[in-house]
Amino acid sequence: MTQQTALAPDRTRVRTARNAVFVVFALAGVVFSSFASRIADSKAELGLSAGQLGLTLFAASCGSVLALPFAGRVADRIGAARTVVTGMVVAGLGLVTVGVAVDVARSRPLMAVGLFFLGMGVGLWDVAMNLEGAAVERLLGRTVMPHFHAAFSGGTVVAALVGSLMSWAGVSLVPHFLGAMVVTAVLGWWGVRAFLPRVVEVDPVVAGDGVPTAVPVKPRSAWLEPRTLMIGMVVLAAAFTEGTANDWIAVGFVEGHDLPAWAGVLAFAVFLSFMTLGRVLGTGLLDRHGRVPVLRATFALAAVGSLMVVFGNPVLAYLGTAVWGVGASLGFPVGMSASADDPARAGARMSVVATIGYTAFIAGPPLLGFLGDHFTVLKALLVVTAMVFLAMLVIPATREPERTRVEQVDAVAAE
């Protein structure tokens, strides 16, 4: 009996793990969007300018980027499930602290502290769930990572609609955020218990990638691998394209198109809805046409959609959010899958790629805030077009290994 036969889980076990990963991704979206949907309310409650809001959001980016370089190593040591739980706890404490800072303390520094821990928890959670998703994807033998990210987007849509309702009804942040964390704790406990066995997540033989060498050789740092760094730049552009909309699209509609706060949150929900749709439909396109041409097309749509938001009237701007959402849908999940093509190096490479990508969340909020103070928030969104040009230069680095590509085409033909 081979090692693979002895250790590999059956299809039912893999499908259970796949469903669990869907749930964990969706819950990450709920936690993130619960805060993002109340950014405009927080800005108004604390009387912040665009620049002050940008610098405050910078705290969340710092927390994420500090956690990301170590997240892969932590997941390798304690497993994806325990790393996700750690991230959930830290993110939950941060989210509730933000609510207390806005509702009770009226303190911008305390809000920044909460955002720091929210970002740190989300960073740990993000890498761990993507590693688990990559392991499930390899065992299934077909592209599913965008579906996991669609679950994340679906969670953000639901949370954004709830946030819009809470904003309209005048509900304060603390009860809103506490409710989100209760849901996360209950469903998250089931999800992590259904993850793959620890050995499956890291063993290249079980994952179907061949036999490891008899004498292990210490690999060089993933930070020195050109392909890994270029994949990181794709994820950087994708994260900036997505994150700009997450942080600023509601404010842009309120201040740039003179709409009420609930209408700005609705625009945010439209963006998230179509990003979810793009991730659901994009997996078939990826298996049929490959990563490179699909990413080129979607990034181009993101540029067109952002221009519609900036220069269109409110109706055209809402249509633009839909186009932008589809365009922003695949860059991040495809970059994560590409970084995990080799399961033996997946943790190290994914940490590098995620760290590079999340620098968009460091640079994005203060950059957009600075530009918003000088040129209006709406016009500041033009920076998205520049990031699309960057992505076009490095997209070829995401090309799948030829063996994987052949397997995906065969799987599509069989269906």
Side-chain angles (χ1 to χ4, degrees), residues 46 48 51-56 101 105-113:
L46 297 181
L48 304 178
Q52 289 173 327
L53 176 61
L55 288 174
T56 306
R106 301 292 195 274
S107 169
R108 180 183 165 204
L110 184 59
M111 179 181 176
V113 171

Side-chain angles (χ1 to χ4, degrees), residues 291-301 388 391-392 395-396 399:
R291 295 169 181 168
V292 174
V294 173
L295 285 187
R296 284 173 174 161
T298 53
F299 269 107
L301 287 176
V388 167
M392 292 297 183
I395 281 174
R399 194 181 309 276

Side-chain angles (χ1 to χ4, degrees), residues 13-29 80-81 84 88 125-137 140 144-152 187-188 190-196 201:
R13 181 70 178 83
V14 176
R15 284 194 291 269
T16 301
R18 178 199 61 191
N19 295 338
V21 175
F22 277 130
V23 170
V24 169
F25 266 82
L27 293 175
V84 166
M88 285 182 176
W125 186 347
D126 188 278
V127 170
M129 71 183 182
N130 274 283
L131 282 170
E132 183 72 13
V136 170
E137 186 175 60
L140 289 174
V144 292
M145 188 70 85
H147 282 173
F148 296 144
H149 285 259
F152 175 89
L187 295 180
W190 172 84
V192 296
R193 293 179 67 190
F195 274 20
L196 293 170
E201 296 171 351

Side-chain angles (χ1 to χ4, degrees), residues 283-361:
T283 53
L285 295 174
L286 288 165
D287 284 340
R288 286 177 173 83
H289 304 292
R291 295 169 181 168
V292 174
V294 173
L295 285 187
R296 284 173 174 161
T298 53
F299 269 107
L301 287 176
V304 171
S306 65
L307 292 175
M308 292 171 67
V309 170
V310 173
F311 295 111
N313 57 33
V315 173
L316 189 61
Y318 272 108
L319 292 175
T321 62
V323 176
W324 188 348
V326 173
S329 62
L330 296 178
F332 202 99
V334 169
M336 288 300 188
S337 285
S339 71
D341 282 338
D342 176 7
R345 297 280 286 148
R349 288 173 177 162
M350 192 174 285
S351 283
V352 170
V353 167
T355 301
I356 295 172
Y358 269 71
T359 59
F361 301 131

Side-chain angles (χ1 to χ4, degrees), residues 229-241 295-296 299-300 303 356-357 359-360 383-398:
L229 296 178
M230 286 190 288
I231 293 172
M233 295 305 294
V234 173
V235 174
L236 171 68
F240 190 93
T241 302
L295 285 187
R296 284 173 174 161
F299 269 107
I356 295 172
T359 59
V383 178
V384 169
T385 306
M387 296 304 295
V388 167
F389 284 116
L390 170 64
M392 292 297 183
L393 296 175
V394 291
I395 281 174
T398 65

Side-chain angles (χ1 to χ4, degrees), residues 168-195:
W168 173 80
V171 177
S172 58
L173 272 63
V174 170
H176 177 190
F177 293 168
L178 283 174
M181 290 316 304
V182 169
V183 172
T184 298
V186 172
L187 295 180
W189 176 248
W190 172 84
V192 296
R193 293 179 67 190
F195 274 20

